[in-house]
Amino acid sequence: MDFYILTLFPEMVMNGLSASITGRAMENGAISAEAIDIRDYSHDKHHHVDDGPYGGGAGLVMQPGPVVEAYEALCERLGKKPRLIYMTPQGRVFDQELAKELAKEPELVFLCGHYEGVDERALELICTDQISIGDYVLTGGELPAMVAIDCISRLVPGVLHNEDSAEEESFQDNLLEYPQYTRPEVFRDMQVPPILLSGHHQKIHQWRRQQSIIRTLERRPDLLETAQLTKKEREFLEELLKERSGNAAADTSKMYNEEADAPELHGQGADRSKLHGESADKREPNSAETYASGPDGAGICASGPSTVDPAISAALPDTDGSVSA
Ligand code: ADE
């Protein structure tokens, strides 16, 4: 895959992409990246590429000439017209599906805007796609282009050493990734879920899928609508939902009355370290990993407060802390 980036800040893009995995992929030839300086196509003796907007208003607009000529010169050199993606907050929001689609192209050109954007006529002439990386406004399109290139690159064969890992991670089947653990086995009194040490690959796979479902339900329930689940997994989800709605009222009173001193739960991040930091004597035995029997009878670990919404934890059946054989 060959990436071309039309930009006013070529070093910024090349410095960013030359690091880490994309840098290694450029060295081994799995991808290439070339930043093209739009300023080189300015006809102005001061190399200006922008001017005030017609009709008035603040800021500067990138002129159409240098942008269009930079792209046309590239097309002439390549002997074809690759897709040209204009990075803008007004574009289609970038996601894994779009990354997969773009990863099939042999070449991609990214146009990075600055100031108040690019003259609309340039976009009409050369732009095939407009992409946003999220509902916020950055100072230019370089970082968004680097985000998209990084994400697309890891789907290109030969970029990741372990080809499997591109498939295994977040958004596989529209589910978030399961929690990961590495050495040491016990860290600050927190034990790695024993099932991961059991060597039982089928049960580990099942546990991970269930953790992905729990995590997606907690953090991105919108993804579950289109998640690809087996019949058993769907039953597992339905059980979680049923238990959760059944326990919601009880849980709320528990949180506001009995646990008045408990840390407030804001989103997914800040609260978790506090919960992990809770002193060992205050914790229930095995509360860091709540083992339960899943709806299909398999032993599951709901990982207590570290991965599971308190409402879901409370909803899961009682635990014995063991791994079912
Ligand atoms: N340029 C400025 N903000 C942007 C965004 N959110 N996505 C893509 N390009 C941008």
Side-chain angles (χ1 to χ4, degrees):
M1 162 76 82
D2 297 320
F3 297 104
Y4 300 92
I5 306 101
L6 306 184
T7 173
L8 295 173
F9 299 94
E11 325 77 51
M12 176 182 178
V13 175
M14 293 313 291
N15 286 343
L17 294 177
S18 301
S20 188
I21 293 177
T22 46
R24 190 188 64 198
M26 281 160 65
E27 272 167 27
N28 72 25
I31 61 165
S32 76
E34 180 184 335
I36 295 168
D37 193 342
I38 295 170
R39 229 175 266 284
D40 290 346
Y41 294 85
S42 166
H43 296 298
D44 186 290
K45 72 169 186 256
H46 300 293
H47 295 287
H48 285 143
V49 288
D50 50 75
D51 211 331
Y54 278 121
L60 295 167
V61 178
M62 283 170 69
Q63 293 171 300
V67 170
V68 170
E69 285 173 35
Y71 177 66
E72 284 175 347
L74 175 65
C75 295
E76 206 155 302
R77 174 151 62 97
L78 298 177
K80 53 171 133 171
K81 288 184 175 177
R83 265 166 101 161
L84 180 133
I85 301 165
Y86 175 47
M87 302 309 294
T88 166
Q90 299 178 27
R92 170 177 167 186
V93 177
F94 189 66
D95 63 10
Q96 198 65 28
E97 277 312 300
L98 185 50
K100 277 189 206 163
E101 182 202 316
L102 294 173
K104 293 179 191 147
E105 299 284 333
E107 302 91 11
L108 287 172
V109 185
F110 288 87
L111 170 60
C112 307
H114 258 268
Y115 319 118
E116 290 307 304
V118 175
D119 186 293
E120 194 65 24
R121 292 164 296 179
L123 300 177
E124 277 176 33
L125 279 173
I126 62 174
C127 174
T128 59
D129 304 74
Q130 302 203 12
I131 294 180
S132 162
I133 59 160
D135 290 339
Y136 42 85
V137 181
L138 300 170
T139 55
E142 282 76 12
L143 286 170
M146 285 153 72
V147 166
I149 291 170
D150 186 288
C151 179
I152 295 164
S153 294
R154 58 189 293 292
L155 303 175
V156 172
V159 170
L160 296 182
H161 276 161
N162 176 4
E163 290 296 330
D164 287 342
S165 55
E167 281 305 309
E168 274 286 311
E169 291 165 12
S170 292
F171 300 109
Q172 172 68 1
D173 292 341
N174 235 29
L175 291 174
L176 299 185
E177 198 190 14
Y178 46 80
Q180 295 278 18
Y181 299 86
T182 186
R183 270 187 265 275
E185 232 177 275
V186 180
F187 174 70
R188 303 205 179 170
D189 278 347
M190 291 181 288
Q191 161 85 62
V192 169
I195 191 135
L196 298 177
L197 312 174
S198 70
H200 197 309
H201 296 300
Q202 198 228 318
K203 286 217 177 292
I204 291 171
H205 174 74
Q206 183 183 40
W207 179 84
R208 284 178 163 167
R209 289 286 297 184
Q210 289 174 334
Q211 287 296 311
S212 287
I213 294 167
I214 291 167
R215 189 164 270 202
T216 311
L217 176 62
E218 255 183 61
R219 300 181 184 186
R220 292 290 309 275
D222 56 303
L223 294 176
L224 286 169
E225 276 172 40
T226 41
Q228 289 162 39
L229 302 177
T230 64
K231 189 164 169 283
K232 276 193 172 172
E233 287 169 350
R234 197 150 287 287
E235 283 165 12
F236 175 74
L237 172 61
E238 275 159 21
E239 194 69 22
L240 285 177
L241 286 168
K242 208 163 63 192
E243 301 277 11
R244 191 157 84 147
S245 64
N247 279 274
D251 264 343
T252 312
S253 60
K254 206 174 160 204
M255 278 172 78
Y256 290 113
N257 300 325
E258 294 169 31
E259 294 182 6
D261 292 339
E264 259 185 79
L265 300 177
H266 294 296
Q268 302 151 9
D271 57 299
R272 300 195 182 280
S273 55
K274 287 190 199 159
L275 288 164
H276 268 314
E278 195 181 17
S279 67
D281 55 357
K282 270 181 74 189
R283 278 188 274 129
E284 298 280 314
N286 291 319
S287 72
E289 302 88 29
T290 304
Y291 287 89
S293 203
D296 56 3
I300 62 162
C301 170
S303 289
S306 68
T307 52
V308 182
D309 184 304
I312 298 175
S313 287
L316 291 166
D318 279 344
T319 69
D320 63 3
S322 65
V323 183
S324 62

